[in-house]
């Protein structure tokens, strides 16, 4: 597979064309940003770890019938993906109160939700990814009714699969963010699933093992990412 022109550079990843117009290459960087990119830094080897973790989780989901953009891992930092048109909607699923929900509703972090909470955010940096509901999403015409139904159902299915998986690894899957894209008329799970996009707490100690260590200057950021990979593969 020949790597061609870069088509996109985001905060944590670059995307390249290939000689096949239906396939792109996604490259994971070590760059880390938080709070609308006002906080910037490097997490050494994050790209390598997130590429590997995403590979494992996309393969797990595919094995359970969830279609994703993942094709195969190419090398330490790169994966081959299906070309998608990203739907500018961030889907957050929460199992335990933390982060944005704790702030929005003045709820203490750590409350276990009886039912998972689904949130939509409009993916738009200039607007700071505002919280929206399904009516906003449809009014903006970023997604159709059918697509939105599918995305919501899929997101809860993904939560069930991931929650059970991480439970066995002694990790609480606190919350996570998903992005979907259109490929040949189908909606596929896209982007990445990693400690950048999920919150993981150690089941016993509740130690944070995700990007919150970077966001909140808790130290041991690299070790936390490595620990998640070790638990997943161990
Ligand atoms: P919160 O809304 O609490 O800040 O985030 C909820 C979950 O979604 C967390 O696991 C967080 O890492 C993820 N998340 C939400 N928005 C973004 C985003 O713009 N980028 C990344 N990498 N993760 C996000």
């Amino acid at each position: 597979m020949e790597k061609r022109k870069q088509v996109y550079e985001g905060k944590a990843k670059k995307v390249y064309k290939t000689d096949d117009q239906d396939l792109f290459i996604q490259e994971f960087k070590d760059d880390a940003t938080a709070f609308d990119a006002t906080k910037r830094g490097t997490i050494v080897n994050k790209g390598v770890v997130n590429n590997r973790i995403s590979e494992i989780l996309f393969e797990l989901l595919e094995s359970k019938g969830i279609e994703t953009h993942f094709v195969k891992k190419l090398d330490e930092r790169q994966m081959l993906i299906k070309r998608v048109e990203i739907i500018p909607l961030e889907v957050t699923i929460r199992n335990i109160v933390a982060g944005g929900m704790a702030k929005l509703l003045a709820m203490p972090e750590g409350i276990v939700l009886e039912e998972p909470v689904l949130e939509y955010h409009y993916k738009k940096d200039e607007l700071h990814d505002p919280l929206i509901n399904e009516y906003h999403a449809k009014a903006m015409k970023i997604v159709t009714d059918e697509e939105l139904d599918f995305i919501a159902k899929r997101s809860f299915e993904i939560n069930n699969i991931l929650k059970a998986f991480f439970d066995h690894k002694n990790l609480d899957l606190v919350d996570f963010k998903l992005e979907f894209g259109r490929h040949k008329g189908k909606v596929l799970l896209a982007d990445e699933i990693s400690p950048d996009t999920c919150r993981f707490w150690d089941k016993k100690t509740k130690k944070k093992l995700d990007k919150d260590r970077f966001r909140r200057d808790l130290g041991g950021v690299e070790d936390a990412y490595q620990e998640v990979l070790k638990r997943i593969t161990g």
Side-chain angles (χ1 to χ4, degrees), residues 90 92 94 98-100 129 175-177 196-199 215:
E90 298 190 347
T92 303
R94 302 180 185 277
D129 298 345
D175 56 29
F176 56 94
K177 182 263 294 180
D196 270 12
T197 63
C198 305
R199 285 194 173 93
R215 294 188 188 102

Side-chain angles (χ1 to χ4, degrees), residues 134-170:
E134 57 188 281
Y135 294 91
H136 294 119
K138 282 185 268 177
M140 289 190 294
K141 299 197 185 299
I142 55 178
V143 75
T144 67
D145 234 334
E146 296 72 41
E147 285 174 336
L148 204 54
D149 279 354
F150 177 82
I151 286 170
K153 272 198 206 106
R154 267 294 192 247
S155 298
F156 286 120
E157 283 169 18
I158 291 166
N159 185 43
N160 288 336
I161 296 165
L162 295 182
K163 229 171 42 165
F165 177 79
F166 285 107
D167 197 52
H168 286 289
K169 311 294 181 185
N170 277 314

